[in-house]
Amino acid sequence: MTHWYEQRDVEDGLVRISEPHAHEIVRANVWWLRGSERDLVVDAGLGVVPLRREVPEILARDPLLLLTHAHLDHVGGAHEFAERAAHGADAAALARGVPASLDGPELAERLGTEDVGASFPDLLLDALPDPGYDPGGYGIGPVTLTRTLSGDERIDLGGRVLTVLHVPGHTPGSVALLEERTGVLYSGDAVYDGYLIDDLPESDVAAYRRTAAFLADLDVRVVHPGHGRSFGRDRLREVTERYLRRSAPADRA
Ligand SMILES: [Zn+2]
């Protein structure tokens, strides 16, 4: 059986979990934060392998799952959590069951991005979790929320308080979480160190530009993103300002 999840202790009370055998376009980060009162899990991975099978401790303290947005690589494991929160603007997409497939071209078609998706591989995994695993049977069922967010809520875990930030653009209901005391931002797909995706049917470039301008000025120490490595404030500013340049309306460029 393949060891599916990679766990790394980032700092005291914070674990990053990722799926190294998933193709990079669907290889997202799960952030597990431990408070003195309760735990918070930011995003839930693809759901190819149940978290409870390899990381059962993540479910031990009845954590709140916060979904940064309604995309398969963040939502697949949501059904394992009893308490599920996300922004109301992504709630309908979650309730329908988000588009999902482990076949690259098929996923691109379901996401509505056939043009870029032509280059996706036929299998978005480089190993199977076990020899009998059927990637064709992969899918994500409807996710109903037990808590609907609108932005500006505070989530108190005991010893750490996080503020929900509504950062639309990638999807209408994208959220990030800011721990003001430590200057830590959990950014989902609003910003990561890479090419920001704003051309999905549910994306909104004008909203994304407002989000990028807001994030560029945010005073943070470290960003823990939805994909890839963590980075500091300077890189946050570079990535968001690069996005603002590339997305500038042509008639004003
Ligand atoms: Zn996404």
Side-chain angles (χ1 to χ4, degrees), residues 43-168:
D43 288 336
L46 278 169
V48 166
V49 169
L51 283 159
R52 80 167 64 81
R53 185 169 105 186
E54 277 195 30
V55 199
E57 324 83 77
I58 201 173
L59 296 161
R61 296 174 77 210
D62 193 22
L64 172 66
L65 172 68
L66 186 139
L67 301 169
T68 59
H69 65 292
H71 282 155
L72 73 158
D73 44 341
H74 305 262
V75 169
H79 61 280
E80 297 191 72
F81 294 81
E83 282 199 66
R84 302 169 299 272
H87 193 278
D90 273 13
L94 290 164
R96 276 194 301 272
V98 300
S101 174
L102 296 174
D103 175 302
E106 186 174 271
L107 177 61
E109 193 186 318
R110 289 183 186 173
L111 291 174
T113 58
E114 292 89 335
D115 40 344
V116 284
S119 59
F120 292 177
D122 286 343
L123 180 59
L124 295 171
L125 310 176
D126 70 12
L128 296 178
D130 55 70
Y133 184 79
D134 172 20
Y138 173 78
I140 296 178
V143 175
T144 53
L145 301 176
T146 59
R147 182 168 174 185
T148 304
L149 305 170
S150 56
D152 295 332
E153 290 91 349
R154 279 170 188 262
I155 299 174
D156 190 345
L157 305 178
R160 53 203 317 173
V161 178
L162 296 128
T163 303
V164 177
L165 305 176
H166 185 208
V167 285

Side-chain angles (χ1 to χ4, degrees), residues 25 28 68-74 170-171 174 188-190 192 197 200 202 227:
I25 63 162
T68 59
H69 65 292
H71 282 155
L72 73 158
D73 44 341
H74 305 262
H170 179 68
T171 70
S174 289
D189 282 6
Y192 44 81
I197 295 172
L200 297 164
E202 64 272 36
H227 294 268

Side-chain angles (χ1 to χ4, degrees), residues 10-15 30-34 40 42 66 68 160 162-163 165 167 175-179 182-191 215 220 222-226 230:
V10 178
E11 55 188 67
D12 196 33
L14 176 63
V15 180
V30 174
W31 299 99
W32 174 19
L33 289 76
R34 307 199 49 138
L40 175 72
V42 180
L66 186 139
T68 59
R160 53 203 317 173
L162 296 128
T163 303
L165 305 176
V167 285
V175 293
L177 285 173
L178 178 64
E179 188 175 27
T182 55
V184 174
L185 180 73
Y186 299 86
S187 62
D189 282 6
V191 65
L215 292 174
V220 297
V222 60
V223 180
H224 295 312
S230 301

